[in-house]
């Protein structure tokens, strides 16, 4: 047994309710794993296209309806076990709901019996005009698929759970019973009779692309039938337009607009915002004289900054996006027109598109149209940039193609390099930029669901990463009162254990993420020293922050995700307003003894535990003997006497 296997085993204090936020975080983080589970348990008779859509629908509808659901797991998640299955109460709860729904969808019903909720066609997602199915595997995958098709729903579930989720038959039996299976023993016996091909020596055949409903191929549906349906739909739409026009003719049937001008009136500010001749352009050296360099100090760059027709189209689409325009906006970002003439940041051809970047003082807007000259369809992306500075205005995403990203860097960025956050000792690889500051294509960590590597960009002293939005998120380290750029091997090693958790904040409008090592604790029994981290993601809109407390055991390999022992949303903990935190967990030593561990950060003068575990200590650390599954309530005092409770 290696050091990593025998060093630690975290367990929760006791079962506790799982709230909506915890279940949602687990669903987002483990979405591909949950969809694969649902796809494999659903009956093959549905067909691969409907199984794919139904599996996604079951997972997306697996959140609890109320603010709190019945306990389905521990209050504080543990690290991944030897089988690689997330031991997380939120994940366990969502997994049970997905399994129950998939089994319900496979149960037969009588001739006159109404379909159960799990047997109805999925409301969302819906795909029109395409049929989706996983990629084809080899002969071994085909043989296993045929063997699974011959099993009953419970038997198929037992086989899948044992291969992908749970290490022992007892765990599988308990989960099947909780999911409503009447005879779990018969299901396990049925799964035991499956002859599975040898497959890979490194992973189960069920982990291959043949059974991955998140990696799909697309083919068209029946084109002739679609044409007939389209003609009928067009005729119905034309009739609806005629009726609507006739109904809208009389007087004030739609209601008066008060003091507003008639619809045909022109507003002077709105007209100026559509005039490319009035676009603001900063001087090339404006950033050197600015009090706080931000996007307002970016000069206009790109080979087509003088193309009036292109700029006019971009401004017009921004003001009045048509139905064919794909519009996206980060959470909390208004997608309306500019109040006046915006500032031009970039205009030029990038990959297969023509891109225009604009800035109105509060938002950055990216307009893109086809490079071929087809202007009938376009894309419009909005992102908030409130109070951006040199650290958060280092770059903008210009292009996303085939999982790769190209950035336009700020004029003050004097060097660019690429790092893998999971390789803290690896050297940064230089990133080429052209004369306008446009980088070469870089792999995006937001384009994949796994975490074999996490790409970050080193722009000068600032470290940033792509989270699927126009602005990359800045990564920092240190105390909440004085976060700074990630520098040195120790801070990069801490980020190596945190990087994979960034997947839970993709697409949330994140401005910056700070990783704070708030405590180092010497473990009982000379087991070495553990590290406690608090990671806080803050957004451009101010609300929606997310906080994670992590426990990192000694001897863990570089790049292994830290064990998340607590999480919170919209909490000021570990931030500038409340620069302190308290977290705890049960820990099992190599000798088999259990201890209740607690650690505080930020002027914590004492820690105490009560309930199933009793003890106290001066200072920010506590370690007392405990029993497996013990329930404890933690409290701490700051140096000024303020009482704080654990992060939740």
């Amino acid at each position: 047994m290696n050091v990593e296997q025998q060093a630690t085993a975290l367990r929760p204090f006791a079962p506790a309710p799982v709230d909506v936020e915890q279940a949602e975080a687990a669903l987002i983080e483990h979405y591909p794993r949950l969809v694969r589970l649902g796809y494999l348990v659903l009956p093959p008779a549905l067909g691969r296209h409907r199984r794919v859509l139904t599996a996604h629908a079951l997972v997306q509808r697996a959140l609890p309806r109320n603010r709190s659901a019945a306990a389905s797991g521990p209050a504080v998640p543990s690290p991944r076990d030897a089988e690689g299955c997330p031991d997380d109460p939120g994940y366990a709860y969502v997994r049970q709901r997905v399994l129950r729904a998939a089994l319900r969808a496979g149960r037969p019903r009588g001739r006159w019996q109404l379909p159960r909720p799990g047997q109805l066609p999925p409301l969302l997602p819906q795909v029109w005009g395409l049929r989706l199915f996983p990629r084809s595997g080899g002969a071994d995958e085909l043989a296993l698929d045929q063997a699974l098709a011959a099993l009953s729903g419970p038997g198929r579930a037992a086989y899948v759970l044992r291969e992908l989720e749970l290490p022992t038959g007892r765990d599988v039996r308990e989960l099947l019973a909780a999911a409503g299976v009447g005879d779990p023993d018969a299901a396990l016996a049925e799964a035991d009779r499956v002859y599975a091909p040898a497959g890979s020596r490194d992973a189960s055949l069920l982990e291959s692309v043949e059974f991955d409903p998140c990696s799909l191929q697309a083919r068209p549906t029946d084109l002739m039938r679609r044409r007939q349906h389209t003609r009928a739909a067009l005729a119905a739409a034309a009739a609806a337009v005629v009726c609507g026009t006739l109904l809208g003719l009389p007087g004030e049937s739609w209601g008066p607009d008060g003091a507003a001008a008639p619809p045909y009136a022109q507003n002077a500010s709105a007209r100026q915002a559509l005039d490319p001749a009035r676009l603001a352009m900063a001087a090339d050296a404006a950033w050197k004289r600015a009090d706080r360099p931000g996007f307002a100090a970016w000069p206009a760059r790109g080979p087509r900054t003088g193309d009036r027709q292109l700029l006019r189209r971009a401004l017009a689409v921004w003001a009045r996006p048509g139905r064919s325009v794909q519009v996206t906006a980060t959470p909390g970002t208004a997608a309306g027109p500019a109040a006046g003439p915006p500032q031009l940041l970039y205009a030029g051809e990038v990959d297969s598109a023509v891109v225009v970047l604009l800035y109105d003082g509060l938002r950055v807007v990216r307009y893109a149209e086809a490079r071929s000259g087809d202007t009938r369809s376009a894309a419009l992306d909005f992102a908030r940039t409130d109070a951006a500075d040199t650290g958060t205005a280092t770059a903008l995403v210009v292009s996303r193609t085939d999982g790769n990203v190209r950035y336009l860097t700020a004029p003050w960025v004097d060097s660019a390099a690429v790092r893998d956050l999971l390789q803290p000792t690896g050297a940064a690889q230089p990133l080429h930029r052209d004369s306008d500051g446009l980088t070469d294509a870089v792999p995006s960590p937001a384009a994949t669901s796994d975490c074999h590597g996490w790409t970050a960009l080193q722009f000068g002293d600032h470290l940033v990463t792509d989270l699927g939005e126009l602005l990359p998120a800045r990564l920092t380290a240190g105390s909440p009162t004085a976060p700074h750029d990630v520098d040195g091997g120790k801070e990069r090693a801490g980020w190596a254990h945190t990087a994979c958790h960034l997947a839970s904040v993709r697409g949330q409008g994140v401005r910056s993420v700070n990783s704070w090592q708030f405590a180092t604790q010497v473990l009982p029994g000379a087991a070495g020293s553990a590290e406690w981290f608090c990671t806080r993601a803050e957004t451009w809109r101010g609300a929606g922050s997310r906080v994670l407390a992590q426990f990192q055991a000694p001897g863990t390999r570089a790049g292994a995700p830290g064990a998340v022992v607590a999480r919170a949303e919209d909490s000021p903990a570990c931030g500038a307003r409340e620069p302190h935190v308290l977290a705890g967990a049960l820990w099992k030593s190599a000798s088999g003894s259990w201890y209740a561990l607690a650690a505080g950060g930020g002027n914590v003068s004492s820690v105490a535990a009560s309930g199933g575990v009793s003890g106290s200590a001066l200072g920010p650390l506590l370690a007392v003997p405990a029993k497996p599954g013990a329930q404890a309530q933690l409290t701490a005092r700051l140096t000024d006497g303020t009482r704080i409770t654990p992060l939740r």
Side-chain angles (χ1 to χ4, degrees):
M1 182 178 295
N2 57 35
V3 175
E4 182 176 349
Q5 291 174 324
Q6 69 180 4
T8 61
L10 283 176
R11 289 291 177 86
F13 286 134
V18 177
D19 57 29
V20 176
E21 290 79 7
Q22 190 174 6
E24 181 184 17
L27 187 149
I28 293 174
E29 182 176 358
H30 304 293
Y31 184 82
R33 188 184 195 107
L34 292 166
V35 176
R36 186 189 294 263
L37 173 63
Y39 177 81
L40 289 168
V41 175
L42 284 169
L46 292 176
R48 291 192 294 173
H49 173 78
R50 188 173 173 189
R51 282 175 72 193
V52 166
L53 297 184
T54 304
H56 283 273
L58 294 181
V59 175
Q60 293 174 18
R61 291 187 295 180
L63 290 179
R65 296 178 180 271
N66 303 320
R67 297 295 300 175
S68 180
S72 62
V76 180
S78 306
R80 297 174 183 267
D81 58 24
E83 300 296 323
C85 178
D87 189 8
D88 178 314
Y91 176 79
Y93 176 81
V94 176
R95 177 180 61 190
Q96 180 178 325
R97 287 178 64 91
V98 171
L99 181 62
R100 180 185 293 271
L103 288 170
R104 185 185 298 120
R107 294 173 188 164
R109 56 189 176 93
R111 181 177 180 181
W112 305 108
Q113 182 181 356
L114 293 175
R116 302 181 181 93
Q119 294 174 321
L120 292 171
L123 298 179
L124 290 174
Q126 292 285 352
V127 177
W128 298 89
L130 289 174
R131 298 198 65 81
L132 304 177
F133 48 89
R135 299 178 181 276
S136 299
D140 290 342
E141 286 84 351
L142 178 59
L144 180 57
D145 189 37
Q146 293 173 344
L148 292 177
L151 298 178
S152 65
R156 195 162 47 249
Y159 183 86
V160 173
L161 290 173
R162 191 168 54 189
E163 286 290 309
L164 298 180
E165 294 289 322
L166 301 173
T168 66
R170 185 188 65 180
D171 295 335
V172 174
R173 188 179 298 107
E174 292 177 355
L175 182 52
L176 288 175
V181 175
D183 191 351
D185 291 325
L188 280 168
E190 187 178 2
D192 289 335
R193 293 193 293 270
V194 174
Y195 170 74
S200 169
R201 294 176 298 176
D202 302 322
S204 169
L205 276 177
L206 293 182
E207 298 183 37
S208 67
V209 295
E210 172 80 14
F211 306 107
D212 184 3
C214 291
S215 178
L216 303 170
Q217 297 184 92
R219 294 292 185 271
T221 55
D222 190 328
L223 299 180
M224 292 300 296
R225 181 178 300 176
R226 191 198 308 176
R227 183 177 301 175
Q228 296 172 356
H229 291 174
T230 301
R231 290 172 179 169
L234 289 175
V241 169
V242 172
C243 294
T245 303
L246 294 176
L247 290 174
L249 287 177
E252 297 181 352
S253 58
W254 299 110
D257 293 331
Y264 51 81
Q266 296 291 334
N267 179 273
S269 297
R271 292 180 62 183
Q272 292 175 4
L274 295 174
D275 187 357
R278 292 181 175 270
L279 282 173
M281 298 188 190
D284 291 344
W287 63 273
K288 297 180 180 179
R289 301 185 298 269
D291 294 334
R292 188 186 64 192
F295 292 112
W298 278 34
R301 289 172 285 177
R304 298 185 64 173
T305 54
D307 189 337
R308 293 292 182 89
Q309 294 300 320
L310 169 63
L311 300 179
R312 187 181 302 277
R313 288 196 300 273
L315 294 171
V317 171
W318 181 359
R320 306 183 308 276
R323 294 183 178 179
S324 62
V325 178
Q326 300 178 12
V327 180
T328 65
T330 56
T333 304
Q343 178 182 340
L344 178 62
L345 303 181
Y346 181 85
E349 298 174 344
V350 184
D351 298 328
S352 60
V354 180
V355 177
V356 178
L357 294 177
L358 300 165
Y359 173 65
D360 69 352
L362 295 175
R363 302 168 296 174
V364 167
V365 180
R366 175 184 178 270
Y367 168 81
E369 65 182 31
R371 190 171 185 175
S372 62
D374 183 3
T375 60
R376 291 173 297 178
S377 62
L380 203 60
D381 304 312
F382 295 84
R384 287 183 65 161
T385 57
D386 305 37
D389 54 20
T390 55
T392 52
T394 54
L396 288 172
V397 171
V398 180
S399 171
R400 293 184 184 274
T401 307
D402 298 330
N404 296 316
V405 182
R406 298 183 69 181
Y407 299 88
L408 180 68
T409 57
W412 56 82
V413 172
D414 54 6
S415 63
V418 180
R419 288 187 178 276
D420 184 353
L421 291 182
L422 302 190
Q423 302 294 331
T425 60
Q429 302 299 316
L431 178 60
H432 174 263
R433 297 180 294 164
D434 64 13
S435 58
D436 287 325
L438 191 65
T439 70
D440 289 347
V442 179
S444 169
T448 178
S449 58
D450 57 28
C451 194
H452 300 307
W454 195 280
T455 303
L457 289 306
Q458 188 83 50
F459 291 141
D461 295 330
H462 307 304
L463 189 67
V464 301
T465 191
D466 178 39
L467 294 179
E469 297 172 330
L470 269 181
L471 280 75
R474 183 185 181 187
L475 306 182
T476 59
S479 167
T481 58
H484 55 266
D485 289 312
V486 179
D487 184 27
K490 183 174 179 59
E491 292 179 349
R492 284 197 289 270
W495 262 109
H497 298 302
T498 304
C500 289
H501 296 301
L502 290 172
S504 63
V505 293
R506 286 174 178 154
Q508 299 301 311
V510 173
R511 175 191 181 107
S512 62
V513 187
N514 185 61
S515 180
W516 172 33
Q517 183 182 339
F518 64 88
T520 300
Q521 185 173 26
V522 177
L523 298 176
S529 297
E531 297 175 338
W532 295 82
F533 290 86
C534 189
T535 303
R536 178 180 178 85
E538 296 188 343
T539 66
W540 287 97
R541 64 189 183 277
S545 62
R546 303 212 176 172
V547 186
L548 299 178
Q550 299 167 245
F551 177 89
Q552 194 63 48
T556 306
R557 64 175 176 83
V564 177
V565 297
R567 67 177 80 229
E569 188 171 348
D570 278 330
S571 169
C574 298
R577 290 177 53 198
E578 292 188 7
H580 46 257
V581 66
L582 175 65
L586 287 183
W587 173 78
K588 183 180 180 182
S589 68
S591 63
S593 301
W594 286 87
Y595 294 88
L597 304 179
N603 298 326
V604 172
S605 61
S606 64
V607 181
S610 59
V613 177
S614 179
S616 62
L618 294 176
L621 302 174
L622 175 68
V624 294
K627 295 181 180 180
Q631 183 177 9
Q633 290 77 43
L634 296 177
T635 58
R637 294 281 179 180
L638 303 181
T639 53
D640 62 1
T642 303
R643 179 179 180 272
I644 64 172
T645 56
L647 178 70
R648 61 170 56 90

